[in-house]
Amino acid sequence: MPESLFKVNIEEYMLPGNRACSGCGLSLAYRYALKALRKNTILTIPASCLTVLHGLYPTTSVVIPCLNCAFASTGASASGILAGLKALNRQDITVVAFAGDGGTFDIGIQSLSGAAERETDFIFVCYDNEGYMNTGTQRSSATPIGALTTTTPFLTKQEHKKDMLKIMEAHDIPYLASVSSSYPVDLYDKFVKAKRIKGTRYIQISAPCPPGWVYPPRDTVKIGRLAVETGMVVLFEIEDGKFQLTGRSKTLAQRGNKLPVIAYIERQGRFSKISAEQVAQLQNWVDTRWEEYLRRAST
Amino acid sequence: MTKKDDNISAMCRPAIGEAGKTGDWRDKRPTIDHNKCIPFIKKKPACFLCWLYCPDGVITATIPISIDLDYCKGCGICAEECPAKAIAMINEEGKDD
């Protein structure tokens, strides 16, 4: 067992008995994100699976203060909270915006870009479950090629996933990280690190979704692990422009034993109609990006 | 219950079991065989991978470990990830495969 497990904050900020689905990848990642952020945090969340997890009035399942905002305004909402805290002279509080991939890649991108440009001192977290899962699995720009969704029900999605991490990197932010819910200790470490840094910080969590990706809930951790082992998700961090691979992706790069994407695809029902041509396209897309990451890690 | 702030019209209070007893969502119940469980055999903190991977935080990192069956949603991640195969998923009464 990892020794670092004992360093993890033992307190739970997400209470049991919440509305998240059984085997939810977001729920697992959220538990560790809150453990790392601890008290003295204010959350702001747009419409997403996370609002469902937070629950209905008059009770909530999270013990950290949270502001619900409109879908497109997550970045602006965080800027507003910060302005309020500044007026009250409370400098010790971390503001964290938590949005889904729809609220980041598609709908929330303008307010996030604006907040990053203003160098707002907050952490923006995108949990990426590759679709609008809360409203019933619609396609988003984070959905990978070849996936079935309710808005691409026959032909599968024809386009590749948007590289949001590159877009955020172009904003020259001080800290940027990619994490997976299947590696909670790596996730925890990156959140602890992000909390100490000043400026706009962006963290993208890969969170497998059992109903949306169509696999049994018990496989959540396995699917997330396969995503990293096939290179669909790469664990890395960029701190002040310095790129480095972390955790499992680092050992994969050292040993060079990356699995083919088919190992990841075959376990999920959403890829049941993917064509051989699309598998080749996806493999090519993964390999090109992986080569680029390896080149950046070695310089 | 703390005093209500008049400036806030709709504010939620934290509560365990916000969605009710989520244990009744379950088809299969996790059952631990303590004689296979690593921390129980070694009599010292070790492993705890079930605690690490539980999405709902209903498993305790204690010796012996315990699962809060009132709120366990029965996803089966603990049984899948247990390196010693100490947790088995058993059908709840009246529910078949």
Side-chain angles (χ1 to χ4, degrees), chain A residues 21-36:
Chain A
C21 304
S22 157
C24 178
L26 161 65
S27 178
L28 174 58
Y30 197 49
R31 204 180 135 214
Y32 285 91
L34 294 185
K35 274 172 184 283

Side-chain angles (χ1 to χ4, degrees), chain A residues 1 5-6 14-20 22-24 27-28 31-32 55-60 182 218-219 221-222 225, chain B residues 11-19 22 25 45-47 51-58 71 73 75-77 80-81:
Chain A
M1 80 148 279
L5 197 70
F6 294 112
M14 193 190 81
L15 303 173
N18 56 55
R19 269 162 223 267
S22 157
C24 178
S27 178
L28 174 58
R31 204 180 135 214
Y32 285 91
L56 292 177
Y57 182 77
T59 51
T60 175
S182 297
R218 65 170 184 273
D219 286 343
V221 175
K222 281 217 165 72
R225 213 176 271 150
Chain B
M11 193 169 90
C12 298
R13 301 258 167 220
I16 291 181
E18 189 274 321
T22 47
W25 297 8
C47 188
W51 168 81
L52 182 76
Y53 289 120
C54 179
D56 287 284
V58 293
Y71 298 110
K73 292 171 185 163
C75 61
I77 291 178
E80 197 75 9
E81 297 304 319

Side-chain angles (χ1 to χ4, degrees), chain B residues 2-11 13:
Chain B
T2 47
K3 207 171 146 249
K4 195 171 181 280
D5 186 338
D6 291 332
N7 296 317
I8 302 170
S9 55
M11 193 169 90
R13 301 258 167 220

Side-chain angles (χ1 to χ4, degrees), chain B residues 1 6 17 24 28 30-31 46 48-50 66:
Chain B
M1 203 82 164
D6 291 332
D24 56 19
K28 289 188 174 181
T31 347
F48 292 142
L49 288 178
C50 48
S66 71

Side-chain angles (χ1 to χ4, degrees), chain A residues 130-131 139-149 152 155-162 232 261-262 264-266 268-286 289:
Chain A
E130 307 189 330
R139 156 208 198 281
S140 81
S141 56
T143 312
I145 190 169
L148 287 176
T149 62
T152 53
L155 277 175
T156 72
K157 193 188 168 188
Q158 305 289 306
E159 302 83 13
H160 284 296
K161 179 176 178 146
K162 191 196 271 181
M232 288 288 293
V261 286
I262 193 77
Y264 172 69
I265 286 171
E266 67 187 4
Q268 296 171 55
R270 64 171 174 161
F271 289 115
S272 57
K273 285 192 181 171
I274 192 168
S275 64
E277 192 192 332
Q278 278 178 328
V279 175
Q281 276 181 20
L282 186 61
Q283 183 68 60
N284 189 27
W285 179 80
V286 167
R289 279 161 30 104

Side-chain angles (χ1 to χ4, degrees), chain A:
Chain A
M1 80 148 279
E3 277 299 311
S4 48
L5 197 70
F6 294 112
K7 287 185 226 142
V8 172
N9 182 7
I10 201 85
E11 198 166 334
E12 300 284 348
Y13 299 95
M14 193 190 81
L15 303 173
N18 56 55
R19 269 162 223 267
C21 304
S22 157
C24 178
L26 161 65
S27 178
L28 174 58
Y30 197 49
R31 204 180 135 214
Y32 285 91
L34 294 185
K35 274 172 184 283
L37 294 167
R38 300 178 185 238
K39 293 223 159 112
N40 277 359
T41 299
I42 295 181
L43 295 160
T44 176
I45 55 172
S48 61
C49 285
L50 202 53
T51 25
V52 178
L53 190 151
H54 270 253
L56 292 177
Y57 182 77
T59 51
T60 175
S61 56
V62 177
V63 292
I64 288 175
C66 170
L67 179 75
N68 284 279
C69 64
F71 217 148
S73 64
T74 326
S77 163
S79 303
I81 296 174
L82 265 162
L85 287 173
K86 203 178 166 195
L88 292 169
N89 200 18
R90 293 292 299 269
Q91 309 289 337
D92 56 329
I93 295 173
T94 316
V95 177
V96 183
F98 239 101
D101 57 293
T104 308
F105 287 60
D106 301 340
I107 304 169
I109 192 168
Q110 45 78 17
S111 66
L112 168 60
S113 179
E117 189 268 332
R118 292 189 298 272
E119 295 175 7
T120 310
D121 181 21
F122 80 123
I123 306 178
F124 192 100
V125 188
C126 165
Y127 68 88
D128 177 13
N129 48 22
E130 307 189 330
Y132 291 87
M133 299 316 186
N134 176 29
T135 47
T137 327
Q138 285 84 9
R139 156 208 198 281
S140 81
S141 56
T143 312
I145 190 169
L148 287 176
T149 62
T150 47
T151 42
T152 53
F154 304 113
L155 277 175
T156 72
K157 193 188 168 188
Q158 305 289 306
E159 302 83 13
H160 284 296
K161 179 176 178 146
K162 191 196 271 181
D163 197 343
M164 190 67 196
L165 285 156
K166 233 177 223 166
I167 298 176
M168 287 317 291
E169 199 195 335
H171 286 77
D172 275 335
I173 52 175
Y175 188 74
L176 183 143
S178 160
V179 299
S180 165
S181 66
S182 297
Y183 297 90
V185 180
D186 177 69
L187 185 149
Y188 182 84
D189 289 346
K190 283 174 180 167
F191 269 88
V192 169
K193 198 173 198 177
K195 187 164 172 153
R196 292 200 195 111
I197 297 169
K198 289 267 170 233
T200 307
R201 294 141 278 172
Y202 179 78
I203 298 176
Q204 188 169 311
I205 306 172
S206 161
C209 170
W213 297 13
V214 198
Y215 65 84
R218 65 170 184 273
D219 286 343
T220 296
V221 175
K222 281 217 165 72
I223 298 277
R225 213 176 271 150
L226 275 171
V228 173
E229 284 171 354
T230 54
M232 288 288 293
V233 173
V234 182
L235 306 178
F236 66 88
E237 60 182 5
I238 303 174
E239 202 181 345
D240 294 321
K242 200 183 171 302
F243 177 94
Q244 60 167 1
L245 291 171
T246 59
R248 187 78 183 103
S249 289
K250 195 175 177 182
T251 53
L252 275 180
Q254 282 160 353
R255 292 184 196 150
N257 55 354
K258 185 166 71 73
L259 298 173
V261 286
I262 193 77
Y264 172 69
I265 286 171
E266 67 187 4
R267 299 193 72 142
Q268 296 171 55
R270 64 171 174 161
F271 289 115
S272 57
K273 285 192 181 171
I274 192 168
S275 64
E277 192 192 332
Q278 278 178 328
V279 175
Q281 276 181 20
L282 186 61
Q283 183 68 60
N284 189 27
W285 179 80
V286 167
D287 289 346
T288 319
R289 279 161 30 104
W290 181 248
E291 288 301 322
E292 195 191 322
Y293 284 131
L294 287 185
R295 202 168 53 240
R296 291 186 65 181
S298 59
T299 51

